[in-house]
Amino acid sequence: MMKIRYFDNAATTKVKPEVLDEMLPYLKEDYGNPSSLYSIGRNSKKAIEEARKKVAKLINCNPNEIYFTGCGSESDNMAIKGIAYANQKKGKHIITSSIEHPAVLHTCKTLEKQGFRVTYLKVNKQGFISLEDLRNSIRDDTILITIMFANNEIGTIEPIEMISKIAKMYNIIFHTDSVQACGNIPIDVKKMGIDSLSLSGHKLYAPKGIGALYVKSGIQFEKFMDGGHQEKDKRAGTENVAGIVALGKACELANNNLKEHMAHLKELRDYYIKQIKEKIPEAILNGDIENRLPGNSNFSFPSIDGEELLFLLDAKGICASSGSACTSGSSKPSHVLSNIGLSDELASKALRVTFGEDNTKEDVDYLVDSLCEIIKK
Ligand SMILES: *Cc1c(COP(=O)(O)O)cnc(C)c1O
């Protein structure tokens, strides 16, 4: 069997062995419903509360400000719709950016159909929103600003602290989709003035199907689903105990190893970028070089179509991603790459390579050699 070299850690990550070990007992022995009163139910309940503390610690909030959800998309929906509905008496205007993940963009579109007004801030060539545009788009009826912490395609890290300062000045709630940032860069919601934040397990070495939402205490938001009274009556449904335990462990590990993890990813990324610039000089780096997620790279290779490139890389055991949202066969260019000013043509020639903790320099060498070989042909 061919060795798989995985460079798509922005799409999902492999579950860490320590995370798997931690969650398995809650599928095997302590499978009780956390709302039940007997011992295996109580054990589940206790494990959830331990996990809540660990998630809270990663972003420096109070454990009672964490709500477990089914995924990052659910967290985004729950935050944006929940805050919008609960605060609509004050106004119905929301500000977001044009390069958000669909979980935010489509949620905003739905709210527009329900009478909310949404401003989609443009971004510059590197993918940054303009703080001046942000200030100018604030109205008397603006109730929510939702801007992603870091972009999933080009890795651009938005000026979160500045955005939160502006939001505070106008008494507007600030939510951030930090699914890509959590576990990859330091986040401190208190210091950064963040009111609400989404994160997802499978982007930080926990399984798919578990997410979390932070909402600062005192902020009004409506519950997302009707049903039981789980998660302080904000998210009905029997808790995904094993998933929650896994997310807690993944957050704990991320918190303990953040510096080393960042340094490792950054070293691989910079090594890759340097070699591509030397060996394939016509390649164009998309995004910013400074304020960029440590594990993210995104190049357009003018001489080859992105999908074809992915296909040829796959034949060499390499997993990467194109910049376009063509996962389902529709090859519409990515809205992110279009919004940073790339032509449809260059957008269709993008290759996103996102590094993870298991990657080595030898993997990068193999990737670079493969790219050179394919592109020279
Ligand atoms: C992956 C991702 C999401 C969605 O998370 P899921 O857990 O897959 O629903 C949302 N926002 C960003 C920026 C992401 O990268």
Side-chain angles (χ1 to χ4, degrees):
M1 215 179 81
M2 192 172 19
K3 185 174 171 188
I4 294 292
R5 321 258 179 168
Y6 187 77
F7 299 105
D8 204 10
N9 289 277
T12 197
T13 56
K14 181 174 155 184
V15 174
K16 278 186 192 176
E18 301 97 308
V19 170
L20 184 65
D21 287 347
E22 191 99 351
M23 73 186 282
L24 281 178
Y26 296 93
L27 299 169
K28 286 176 164 171
E29 296 106 27
D30 283 322
Y31 51 81
N33 187 316
S35 301
S36 303
L37 297 177
Y38 38 76
S39 66
I40 60 168
R42 291 198 308 270
N43 290 348
S44 297
K45 175 90 190 140
K46 215 172 124 206
I48 290 176
E49 296 320 315
E50 284 309 309
R52 204 183 302 281
K53 285 184 204 157
K54 292 173 184 170
V55 177
K57 193 166 176 203
L58 179 65
I59 60 169
N60 191 29
C61 69
N62 231 306
N64 66 14
E65 296 171 315
I66 293 288
Y67 303 85
F68 290 111
T69 67
C71 58
S73 300
E74 187 187 321
S75 300
D76 284 337
N77 273 265
M78 183 163 153
I80 297 168
K81 288 176 183 161
I83 290 169
Y85 297 151
N87 292 275
Q88 56 184 320
K89 283 209 185 80
K90 287 182 218 150
K92 293 186 115 182
H93 180 238
I94 296 165
I95 301 171
T96 187
S97 85
S98 54
I99 60 165
E100 298 293 313
H101 187 276
V104 170
L105 282 181
H106 295 171
T107 298
C108 288
K109 291 276 173 222
T110 295
L111 286 172
E112 280 188 282
K113 284 185 202 140
Q114 299 168 357
F116 287 85
R117 292 284 168 266
V118 181
T119 300
Y120 299 89
L121 297 175
K122 290 197 173 64
V123 295
N124 68 7
K125 251 180 74 185
Q126 287 76 36
F128 296 112
I129 65 151
S130 142
L131 295 170
E132 200 187 326
D133 285 355
L134 172 63
R135 253 186 239 105
N136 290 337
S137 60
I138 291 174
R139 320 189 313 201
D140 290 341
D141 60 342
T142 308
I143 51 169
L144 172 67
I145 296 171
T146 174
I147 305 280
M148 69 201 322
F149 207 114
N151 184 267
N152 45 308
E153 291 188 37
I154 54 175
T156 301
I157 301 169
E158 297 296 337
I160 292 299
E161 286 185 61
M162 300 301 291
I163 297 169
S164 91
K165 279 207 180 92
I166 293 171
K168 212 126 276 124
M169 217 153 31
Y170 292 89
N171 207 13
I172 299 166
I173 298 167
F174 174 45
H175 167 261
T176 184
D177 173 344
S178 77
V179 171
Q180 289 291 331
C182 260
N184 284 320
I185 51 175
I187 297 180
D188 182 328
V189 294
K190 285 203 181 111
K191 198 176 121 231
M192 296 173 165
I194 297 166
D195 298 316
S196 176
L197 171 153
S198 306
L199 63 96
S200 173
H202 75 104
K203 306 282 175 80
L204 64 139
Y205 310 96
K208 295 154 194 67
I210 181 69
L213 174 67
Y214 149 75
V215 184
K216 194 172 144 185
S217 67
I219 288 184
Q220 299 302 314
F221 72 108
E222 276 189 12
K223 67 175 159 191
F224 188 56
M225 243 195 306
D226 292 310
H229 301 296
Q230 291 90 351
E231 295 300 288
K232 296 175 286 288
D233 206 17
K234 292 296 192 196
R235 203 275 186 177
T238 303
E239 298 87 338
N240 172 5
V241 182
I244 289 170
V245 167
L247 178 60
K249 185 67 182 177
C251 286
E252 179 183 60
L253 293 172
N255 200 31
N256 292 344
N257 305 321
L258 194 56
K259 259 204 187 125
E260 296 78 5
H261 179 63
M262 284 174 68
H264 176 60
L265 296 191
K266 190 170 177 303
E267 186 188 7
L268 296 177
R269 181 199 72 188
D270 291 348
Y271 181 57
Y272 169 73
I273 289 178
K274 182 165 171 279
Q275 289 197 74
I276 293 298
K277 283 188 163 168
E278 275 168 23
K279 294 181 178 163
I280 313 176
E282 69 273 21
I284 300 157
L285 182 68
N286 300 315
D288 190 52
I289 191 69
E290 287 295 318
N291 290 305
R292 183 180 200 115
L293 285 175
N296 174 289
S297 70
N298 189 315
F299 275 105
S300 287
F301 294 101
S303 55
I304 184 164
D305 176 71
E307 253 179 84
E308 192 186 339
L309 179 56
L310 284 183
F311 191 73
L312 295 168
L313 288 171
D314 180 41
K316 293 177 179 294
I318 293 171
C319 309
S321 159
S322 67
S324 67
C326 62
T327 39
S328 54
S330 89
S331 41
K332 255 182 78 185
S334 124
H335 70 287
V336 175
L337 298 178
S338 302
N339 274 298
I340 62 168
L342 251 63
S343 63
D344 285 2
E345 158 138 29
L346 273 182
S348 74
K349 294 179 168 182
L351 181 76
R352 179 184 73 179
V353 166
T354 47
F355 300 98
E357 64 157 11
D358 284 348
N359 289 131
T360 63
K361 264 189 148 172
E362 192 264 328
D363 285 339
V364 179
D365 288 334
Y366 181 81
L367 171 64
V368 171
D369 288 347
S370 303
L371 278 169
C372 288
E373 195 189 311
I374 291 167
I375 284 167
K376 292 222 166 81
K377 264 195 207 152

